[in-house]
Amino acid sequence: MIFDLPIHPLVVHAVVILVPLAALLLVLAVCVPRLRGVCGPLGVILAVLGAISAVVADQSGSILTDYVGTPEEHIRWGLPTVYSSSAMALTALLWFFIRHRVARSVFGVLTILSAIAAVTFTVLAGHSGAEAVWGELS
């Protein structure tokens, strides 16, 4: 807890911002060669930070369930978010650092696919989390 606030609500916002932004930058870097110099390094850095944030969100969310209960649907989407954002970070790192042309192309495609998955699961986890918190108020 930070200042009596659970860390989970704070760190999930990092995931919701970093993962889609990293995905966008990486897709641009892979698909548009002239944008690689700017979008590639920034996309890789944000993907790694997004994956780390997803792991922290998962762990802090597990701790938070002891206090607020177990939002089943939110939990169902949380773990795929961790896996897909980690896959995006890993494939992006490999795409960025491997110079072999064929391997780089393969990792470029894998980066795009994992980016799509990461954004999809981030949206599903984020929406179900917002529903768990704010759904009762509407």
Side-chain angles (χ1 to χ4, degrees):
M1 300 251 189
I2 299 175
F3 304 111
D4 285 338
L5 290 174
I7 194 168
H8 185 71
L10 301 173
V11 76
V12 295
H13 288 88
V15 177
V16 168
I17 292 167
L18 294 172
V19 170
L21 184 56
L24 175 64
L25 290 171
L26 290 169
V27 168
L28 286 173
V30 170
C31 294
V32 184
R34 66 184 168 88
L35 297 178
R36 273 188 196 139
V38 175
C39 294
L42 186 54
V44 170
I45 291 167
L46 294 180
V48 170
L49 292 174
I52 292 169
S53 297
V55 170
V56 173
D58 181 61
Q59 296 300 308
S60 63
S62 295
I63 294 168
L64 189 59
T65 60
D66 293 340
Y67 299 97
V68 298
T70 306
E72 297 295 334
E73 185 176 353
H74 183 56
I75 290 171
R76 182 174 51 236
W77 298 118
L79 202 52
T81 302
V82 171
Y83 291 151
S84 59
S85 63
S86 297
M88 179 177 68
L90 178 61
T91 57
L93 281 164
L94 291 168
W95 168 79
F96 188 74
F97 287 110
I98 289 178
R99 295 293 172 221
H100 186 271
R101 198 169 176 185
V102 174
R104 189 159 198 208
S105 296
V106 169
F107 284 114
V109 170
L110 292 174
T111 297
I112 291 170
L113 293 174
S114 61
I116 292 167
V119 170
T120 301
F121 287 121
T122 298
V123 168
L124 291 170
H127 178 72
S128 62
E131 282 292 317
V133 171
W134 301 106
E136 298 172 8
L137 300 176
S138 51

